[in-house]
């Protein structure tokens, strides 16, 4: 049971992240896709399916390695973007050229057994394909992790750099092990369970967790904001059910759910604009209330006096950008829920 979980849970998680990613960085989606392909085709079920379809039992290895090339390329793109750099043309041509050498070696000898011809050349080309990209991932990832204030992103970048280093150690070990079969020297460490089985799987999982961690942290942050906005949204929706948009968005797309909740709240507040009492705002400010508490008092009174315009209208409050306005409305909703039975001053 434990072995099944080790083999099949990571590819399932990678496909879930690849298909569910809604962020603005395409490099992250490509990274998840490369991990998903690599992990899937290297499972026993994936290898058996490809062997039945193509007759080549080792084709899964080539496809799995192609997925890792996509992972390295995408991770390099992501970290270059975070550090304000552009991926050089030399890196693109080097990656494409060395992967072409891998495909040529595989075509000359489809068997990847250590004693087979062209296998040492294949693994050497694979190592040379990934070394520049993974080297830059480690360097740029650790550099940006030292400067960012986002704890989840900092930890995620360090995990990605660790996974890339583990992958490079595994590849060097594999080249040395294949070289031992070619040149007949002793290398027992390369055949150990930890180096041959645990290390590559652990590298996949560490990179997957590192890439997913910032996305999961962002989802949790948006979910907390979504929940905090509920008291204010519910009061406005009860006052005017037309602000609730349909159909609802799935829980996994928390970015859109939060955005729609903010828009619905703003629609409700816009509808209450003629009922916003400036005298209520002045009384709240006289009690040294914060801007969010003033807004909560004005909104609560406007809901209670809906349809009755005050003597003086209080202008609306908020922030000029979406993130700032979301944070402000969360504070307003917190203050609104604290009013309880004494919402109208």
């Amino acid at each position: 049971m434990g072995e099944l979980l080790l083999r099949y849970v990571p590819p399932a998680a990678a496909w879930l992240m690849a298909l569910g990613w809604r962020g603005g960085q395409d490099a992250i989606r490509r990274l998840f896709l490369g991990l998903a392909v690599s992990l899937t085709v290297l499972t026993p079920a994936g290898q058996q399916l490809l062997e039945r379809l193509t007759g080549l039992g080792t084709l899964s290895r080539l496809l799995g390695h192609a997925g890792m090339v996509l992972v390295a390329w995408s991770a390099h793109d992501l970290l270059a973007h975070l550090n304000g750099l552009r991926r050089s043309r030399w890196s693109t041509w080097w990656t494409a050229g060395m992967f072409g050498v891998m495909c040529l070696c595989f075509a000359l000898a489809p068997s990847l057994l250590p004693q087979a011809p062209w296998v040492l050349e294949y693994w050497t080309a694979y190592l040379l394909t990934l070394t520049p990209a993974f080297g830059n991932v480690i360097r740029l990832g650790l550099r940006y992790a030292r400067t960012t204030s986002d704890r989840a992103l900092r930890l995620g970048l360090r995990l990605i750099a660790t996974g890339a280093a583990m992958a490079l150690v595994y590849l060097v070990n594999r080249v040395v092990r294949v070289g031992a079969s070619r040149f007949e020297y002793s290398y027992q460490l390369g055949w150990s369970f930890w180096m041959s089985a645990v290390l590559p799987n652990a590298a996949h999982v560490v990179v997957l967790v590192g890439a997913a961690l910032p996305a999961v942290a962002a989802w949790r942050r948006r979910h907390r904001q979504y929940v905090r906005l509920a008291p204010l949204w519910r009061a406005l929706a009860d006052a005017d059910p037309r602000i609730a948009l349909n159909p609802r968005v799935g829980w996994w797309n928390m970015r859109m759910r939060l955005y729609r909740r903010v828009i619905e709240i703003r629609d409700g507040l816009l509808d209450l604009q003629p009922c916003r009492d400036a005298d209520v705002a002045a009384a709240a400010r006289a009690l040294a209330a914060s801007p969010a508490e003033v807004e909560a008092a004005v909104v609560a009174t406007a809901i209670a006096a809906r349809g009755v315009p005050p003597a003086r209208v209080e202008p609306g409050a908020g922030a000029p950008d979406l993130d700032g306005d979301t944070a402000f409305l969360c504070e307003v909703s917190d203050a609104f829920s604290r009013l309880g039975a004494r919402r109208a001053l």
Side-chain angles (χ1 to χ4, degrees):
M1 183 63 181
E3 184 178 357
L4 289 176
L5 292 176
L6 180 63
R7 289 184 181 275
Y8 291 101
V9 169
W15 280 114
L16 180 64
M17 296 300 297
L19 298 176
W21 175 253
R22 294 293 185 271
Q25 283 292 335
D26 289 337
I28 298 180
R29 182 182 290 107
R30 294 199 306 268
L31 190 153
F32 286 136
L33 179 62
L35 277 174
V37 171
S38 180
L39 290 167
T40 301
V41 298
L42 293 177
T43 59
Q47 295 179 30
Q48 293 173 8
L49 178 61
L50 284 173
E51 186 174 4
R52 284 199 298 269
L53 294 175
T54 64
L56 291 176
T58 55
L59 182 60
S60 58
R61 286 283 181 180
L62 179 63
L63 294 178
H65 295 163
M68 285 306 299
V69 172
L70 180 60
V71 169
W73 185 39
S74 303
H76 185 197
D77 277 359
L78 173 64
L79 291 169
H81 172 76
L82 291 177
N83 284 274
L85 304 174
R86 297 181 61 184
R87 180 166 46 85
S88 65
R89 292 184 177 180
W90 177 89
S91 174
T92 303
W93 285 109
W94 175 266
T95 302
M98 294 309 300
F99 183 70
V101 173
M102 290 172 55
C103 294
L104 176 61
C105 293
F106 184 83
L108 292 173
S111 173
L112 292 182
L113 295 175
Q115 64 272 20
W118 299 103
V119 173
L120 178 59
E121 290 78 5
Y122 175 91
W123 281 100
T124 302
Y126 187 36
L127 174 62
L128 294 176
T129 302
L130 296 184
T131 296
F134 277 163
N136 282 320
V137 166
I138 296 170
R139 178 177 62 88
L140 296 176
L142 294 179
R143 185 172 81 177
Y144 192 80
R146 289 193 295 268
T147 61
T148 182
S149 59
D150 189 324
R151 292 185 298 176
L153 180 59
R154 181 166 59 247
L155 178 57
L157 290 175
R158 288 173 176 170
L159 288 174
I160 291 176
T162 301
M166 295 167 65
L168 287 178
V169 171
Y170 167 75
L171 289 176
V172 171
N173 169 76
R174 190 67 183 236
V175 170
V176 175
R177 196 178 84 176
V178 174
S181 299
R182 170 77 64 86
F183 301 108
E184 299 181 351
Y185 57 83
S186 177
Y187 182 61
Q188 298 299 322
L189 177 63
W191 295 95
S192 66
F193 174 74
W194 290 99
M195 291 296 289
S196 62
V198 175
L199 186 61
N201 288 320
H204 280 95
V205 172
V206 169
V207 171
L208 176 61
V209 172
L213 189 60
V216 173
W219 187 95
R220 288 189 59 192
R221 182 175 63 252
R222 295 188 186 103
H223 181 263
R224 287 196 298 267
Q225 291 178 320
Y226 183 82
V227 172
R228 287 177 64 190
L229 290 172
L232 179 60
W233 175 85
R234 192 174 297 111
L236 293 172
D238 290 342
D240 185 2
R242 295 174 301 173
I243 69 170
L245 301 175
N246 287 305
R248 310 306 301 172
V249 181
W251 61 268
W252 57 88
N253 194 355
M254 192 51 63
R255 181 192 298 270
M256 180 56 68
R257 287 179 72 98
L258 178 62
Y259 173 76
R260 286 182 58 166
R261 175 152 287 187
V262 171
I263 295 301
E264 290 170 357
I265 288 175
R266 277 299 167 194
D267 288 343
L269 294 178
L270 182 62
D271 187 54
L272 290 176
Q273 181 63 36
C275 303
R276 294 172 59 90
D277 196 333
D279 292 335
V280 172
R285 293 189 185 98
L287 296 174
S290 67
E293 291 171 334
V294 172
E295 180 69 9
V298 171
V299 171
T301 308
I303 293 175
R306 184 177 177 85
V308 181
R312 293 185 304 124
V313 175
E314 173 73 10
D321 60 284
L322 180 61
D323 290 339
D325 199 40
T326 302
F328 175 73
L329 289 177
C330 285
E331 295 178 4
V332 173
S333 184
D334 293 341
F336 187 88
S337 63
R338 287 196 298 268
L339 288 175
R342 297 177 289 109
R343 286 178 177 171
L345 288 181

